[in-house]
Amino acid sequence: MTVLVTVAALLAGMLGGGAVGALAGTVTGTPPGSSEPPPMPENFPEGDNRYLPGVTVTLIAKQWLERANSWTCAAEPDPDLERGKYETRCEAPGADISVYAVINHDDDAKVTGIWVACRYRTGSRMCRSLFEKFADALLQSQRELIKPATEWAKKNVDRDSAAVFGGIRMEISLSPHEMQATPWV
Amino acid sequence: MSTGNWLDARAGGARLSRRGVLVGGGLLVGGGLLLAGCGGRERPSIESRDVGSDRDRNKRRLREILDRQTEAVKNKDEKAYLADLDSSNSDLVEHERMVFANLRQFEFAEFGYNTRRVAAHGDYTFGPVFRITQLTADESPVGAAPAETFRYRLAPKDGRLVIAEITPASPGDQKDALLSGPPADEAWNMTPLRVVQAADNVWLVGDDSVPDLEKFAAAAAAEAAIVRRLWEGRARFPGDVMYLTRDDDNYRRWFSLGKSSNFLPEISGFQTSRTGVRQNGQVYSDQRAGAAILINLKNIRDYYSGEDPRVTMHHELAHSVTAQLRATPSIISDLGSPTWAVEGFATWATGVRWPSEASRYRSQLRNGLGSFKGLPSSKDFYGAKRSLNYLLGWSVFAYIAQIKGREAAVEFYAQVIPLNDTLEPFVELPIFDGICERTLGTSAGAFLEGWQRFVRRGAGA
Amino acid sequence: MLMVAAIVGLLGALVAGVGAYLPTNRYQATATTVPCRRVVCIPVLKASAVIDALKAKGHPCEQERDHHWKCELMVGTLTFETTIEEVEGLISDVSVLVVRPPDEEPTEAVMDYLLWLAALPYTADEALTEEINDWVVDRIEADEDAEAEIGGYNYYVVTSNPGSIRLRVIGALR
């Protein structure tokens, strides 16, 4: 009898306790995770990555193209807003429409991309020199990279080719013949 | 991949029922589950499935096969090259065995397959596959390598995919999306060949009608050297490849020569060009990607005693050595460089090499001049007045050489040929005037007047 | 006797209760999704917290329509785009697209971006996050479209379009 009562009590207790425990488990169980996302890793892309490191509109348009090469630069009234708030367009002297440059930027030190078109025939000295000097101008703040970058530009002037120097991706297209500089992460 | 105890409860419904089991277990034998609960590690596991389509998988398999064939050509390993073909298709295997035997004799600067533009028809048929075959003779700083276009069909065979069919593109296939690209009409696809190196980057290629291929090596080497010297340091492909045959059918088939608008079966030689493809799979048409020369020795025998191929070689070399600079047909003009300049220069170069040839041209011109008006247009250059047109072209360079010297004639040619001919007379364009000023120091008008006088007075001594 | 029975009964209740609580609680810890309206969501993690974290890194975010967010950062020829479906403040569907030049291998920035977003459902479980990372990296390297069920989520990796990698994590509907 005693045994029976005890066993009955045990069973009853287990049933009741089990039910309560299970309910408590279901109700109070905290789901995993936290309300905040994990910290972002080191190389997670950032808003500032949108700009060419160390490149300014002044450097490219004023110093390199206008002052050193007598080009003419002007703000494009109808900029490509996908690429930046402003667009500066530079043209070569002598109304040479075979070469020109476009700079997309948010302000002077926030350049989102630059491309330089050179529609001369492959093998032309003009394009080789233009692309080489372009690489040089882009790396004025990272001078140790000027040599490898200008050599790359000279070697690949007439090829579809891309290379990254100091966070700047330089890309040459054979046709239409142009060289583009964009930030790279 | 770890399966864990989550596996059997993966399906949505099963997951709910598991919950029921756990709660019920707690109610009944909580103590027992307490122990069990401590022992198990309950973390979701990763049940991964590839969901790429068969088409994507088959395309990757094709890419693997092509990579292996590329290696096989580089290593001259015939067994590896044939390993992924449908071995029950003996026609295919024998054809590819021949192609391999041909390819292994050539020296490639770049060999491989470009599949960047490959599309599929069904799950097994793919194209265009570009076979990149840049010979060392065609090397160039321009990033477009000579290519041929094929369509591949794979088929399952003994539990793996093999190549069941390779269809070469011909010039008429451009509307077929899977075959659109440079035609696959190199001689190595059609005929067993033998390759002989004649000199530094001068190659002779012959079929079985030319068992005496070596006999022509010295002539090829000598003529190539002379033409290269005439062209000096100007842009050119570094090497020259000449295909020789005595077989009229091969002559017609190789490089689709028989289909070209200016083909005549009795002509002794042609220069043909290779079309390049960029890394992105786009055909590059702004410049030729390579050149080749075809010579029908049988036709030469009919013209020149002793089957001496040198005049033909020289003429065609003058085309191929200068081919890199020549304009290609464009949207603006489908004529290419002015034909009077192209054929005139080659004829003139041959006359410089052999003054006896020049004398022959001179007397032929005197006899055939008739009602001479001016330079022939490119449009019907190879028409009925073909012979006279060649001679008129020759006379332009003969005239310049006489008044300004040989180098001026070459420079004049080098400045004219990057330009496309136009339907209005090319010589009336301002750009032609500029060329005359720069290379001859006279206006176009003065130059043309002088040249006409030269022709009427018998084209020199 | 009754005393003994009562004590035994209470002990039984305690053991059974704890026994039932623990596995149920553990179950919750692995259930990994919570119901949210007709779908399921990542538990606890607020959609706004993820969007704020992206904004704090300078990613421009826009609410394209109700409960649908898009954060798109363009770095030259690279595009980093995240779209989030928000339900009851939580996340039911997160889709990540990286567009890059087809010839370039994915950079560290590309992988960090993809993996950070791939890990959102299991932020507390480092070991599992590691496994998920490995899976995503393997699939991208294999360049083969794949899907996986990981706990209560379907993961999709699409690499078959040249120049783009898409990763989508969505609560598996029951």
Side-chain angles (χ1 to χ4, degrees), chain B residues 47-51, chain C residues 135 145-149 154-157:
Chain B
E47 301 304 321
S48 177
R49 280 205 305 283
D50 291 336
V51 292
Chain C
W135 179 79
D145 294 354
E147 64 179 52
E149 185 155 334
N154 288 327
Y155 277 66
Y156 301 91
V157 171

Side-chain angles (χ1 to χ4, degrees), chain A residues 19 121-122 158-160 175, chain B residues 19 27 140 143 278 287 325:
Chain A
R121 261 181 86 84
T122 53
D158 292 329
R159 310 183 151 270
D160 296 298
S175 178
Chain B
R19 181 181 196 141
L27 286 167
S140 150
R278 297 163 64 185
Q287 192 176 307
L325 225 51

Side-chain angles (χ1 to χ4, degrees), chain B residues 39-65:
Chain B
R41 172 173 156 276
E42 297 198 35
R43 280 223 341 267
S45 59
I46 299 177
E47 301 304 321
S48 177
R49 280 205 305 283
D50 291 336
V51 292
S53 60
D54 285 348
R55 176 182 289 191
D56 283 350
R57 246 187 302 281
N58 296 347
K59 186 176 152 188
R60 265 199 302 278
R61 164 75 182 152
L62 173 62
R63 186 65 251 182
E64 286 165 20
I65 292 175

Side-chain angles (χ1 to χ4, degrees), chain C residues 22-37:
Chain C
L22 281 177
T24 315
N25 190 31
R26 286 189 65 82
Y27 165 72
Q28 282 284 330
T30 52
T32 67
T33 59
V34 292
C36 50
R37 272 198 212 119

Side-chain angles (χ1 to χ4, degrees), chain C residues 51-165:
Chain C
I51 290 155
D52 287 346
L54 286 166
K55 280 182 183 167
K57 277 279 181 184
H59 292 232
C61 293
E62 262 182 50
Q63 187 165 12
E64 288 211 312
R65 48 179 196 273
D66 265 7
H67 311 299
H68 179 93
W69 292 83
K70 183 161 132 185
C71 302
E72 189 185 32
L73 178 71
M74 286 167 76
V75 177
T77 49
L78 297 162
T79 301
F80 300 91
E81 182 191 292
T82 296
T83 51
I84 289 174
E85 295 290 341
E86 180 192 342
V87 181
E88 291 169 349
L90 300 175
I91 297 168
S92 68
D93 186 346
V94 54
S95 186
V96 190
L97 173 70
V98 175
V99 181
R100 66 188 207 291
D103 288 330
E104 300 280 1
E105 292 292 314
T107 60
E108 284 178 23
V110 168
M111 293 314 293
D112 276 1
Y113 181 75
L114 289 167
L115 295 180
W116 185 79
L117 286 143
L120 290 180
Y122 294 105
T123 50
D125 191 335
E126 275 183 36
L128 182 58
T129 298
E130 195 70 17
E131 280 179 36
I132 294 171
N133 281 359
D134 290 348
W135 179 79
V136 172
V137 171
D138 283 352
R139 294 344 295 158
I140 290 172
E141 277 176 2
D143 203 11
E144 190 158 333
D145 294 354
E147 64 179 52
E149 185 155 334
I150 306 177
Y153 301 92
N154 288 327
Y155 277 66
Y156 301 91
V157 171
V158 179
T159 59
S160 53
N161 302 317
S164 88
I165 302 173

Side-chain angles (χ1 to χ4, degrees), chain A residues 128-129 131-132 149-158 172:
Chain A
R128 189 167 47 181
S129 157
F131 291 177
E132 181 192 354
T150 51
E151 270 167 18
W152 170 84
K154 268 194 288 185
K155 187 169 160 244
N156 293 287
V157 54
D158 292 329
I172 292 174

